[in-house]
Amino acid sequence: MRIYLSTNDEKKKPADPSYTWINDLNTLDLLVENCEATEIIVDNILSDFKFEEIGDVVKKIMSKMRMGSQITFYQLDFDLMAHEYDKGLLDIHEMNSHLFSGGPKSSVFNMTDICNLIDNHLTIESKDFSHDNFQCVITARRPNGRDEV
C-alpha cells in the first residue's frame, strides 16, 4: 500500500492514483494497518501539530511502514527560510506567504529536527533542500529485520 499523507487541500491530492490519499492521523489509523505501507509520502503535514506532539506523530506514521519500505518527508524548513530572509533575499511578505499559505500552522521545523526524530529507527538515504519553496526533502528506509519503530 502506498500512502500520500497531506493536508485536506484538493491541490495536495496526489496525481498518481496508486497512492491512497490520507489527510489526518485518524484516517491513517483506520485505513492502514501497522507494518502495511510499502511507501509513505508525508507532505507538509507535520506543521499541523504542536512541536511537542511531533515525536508521537512521527512514530505513528513510521509504525505503518513495512520492513524495507520507504518514507519521504517534504517539510518547510524554517532555517532555510530564515537564512534567505537574513540575507535580504526574502522579504517579510514573502516569508508570511510561504509560512501560512496552507492555512494556520502550529509549529515550524528544520531538517535537523526531522532527522533527529527518525534517525534511531530508519536509515536516512537522502537529505536535500528545495530552495524555490524552502522545503527540506528527507528520504529514509525501514531496514529489514527491525520489527519495532
Side-chain angles (χ1 to χ4, degrees), residues 104-119:
K105 305 284 188 250
S106 295
S107 56
V108 293
F109 300 92
N110 61 31
M111 183 183 288
T112 303
D113 293 328
I114 298 168
C115 288
N116 287 342
L117 290 171
I118 65 175
D119 196 35

Side-chain angles (χ1 to χ4, degrees), residues 56-98:
D56 291 336
V57 169
V58 171
K59 280 184 182 180
K60 169 70 72 184
I61 295 167
M62 290 188 306
S63 74
K64 304 302 180 179
M65 296 175 69
R66 183 179 289 180
M67 286 188 285
S69 65
Q70 177 178 297
I71 189 167
T72 303
F73 292 90
Y74 294 96
Q75 189 63 48
L76 184 71
D77 188 286
F78 188 74
D79 283 354
L80 179 60
M81 184 181 296
H83 177 73
E84 297 289 315
Y85 177 77
D86 189 49
K87 288 173 55 178
L89 301 172
L90 181 71
D91 65 31
I92 195 71
H93 174 74
E94 293 168 310
M95 182 179 247
N96 274 284
S97 177
H98 283 286

Side-chain angles (χ1 to χ4, degrees), residues 7 47-49 99-107:
T7 60
S47 291
D48 291 351
F49 300 93
L99 276 172
F100 304 110
S101 64
K105 305 284 188 250
S106 295
S107 56

Side-chain angles (χ1 to χ4, degrees), residues 4-19:
Y4 195 93
L5 187 59
S6 70
T7 60
N8 194 17
D9 180 352
E10 282 291 323
K11 293 180 228 169
K12 291 289 192 173
K13 192 172 184 177
D16 185 341
S18 69
Y19 285 94

